[in-house]
Amino acid sequence: MARSRDTTGAGDAFAAAFLAAVLDNAEPVEAVEAGHNLARRVLTEPGAILTTDEQGAVRD
């Protein structure tokens, strides 16, 4: 399990992923999982900046 490095932006990331999933007609549990997954990802990066590819997509 990755350690949390910075909590900046975790709540915003959760809200963004949750709302994006809701707008994509996800079930409530799926939307919450999407929010948690992105928030978890943000917690492992300093300054709430995620690594992206050349097209700007977030990558692992």
Side-chain angles (χ1 to χ4, degrees), residues 50-59:
L50 298 179
T51 306
T52 59
D53 63 16
E54 295 79 31
Q55 290 77 36
V58 174
R59 62 186 172 130

Side-chain angles (χ1 to χ4, degrees), residues 1-2 7-8 11 13 15 19 21 24 26 29-32 34 36-38 41 43-47 54:
M1 174 182 249
T7 60
T8 303
L19 292 173
D24 200 30
V29 172
E30 293 171 319
V32 170
H36 280 281
N37 289 336
L38 189 57
R41 181 72 196 286
L43 288 169
T44 65
E45 301 281 338
E54 295 79 31

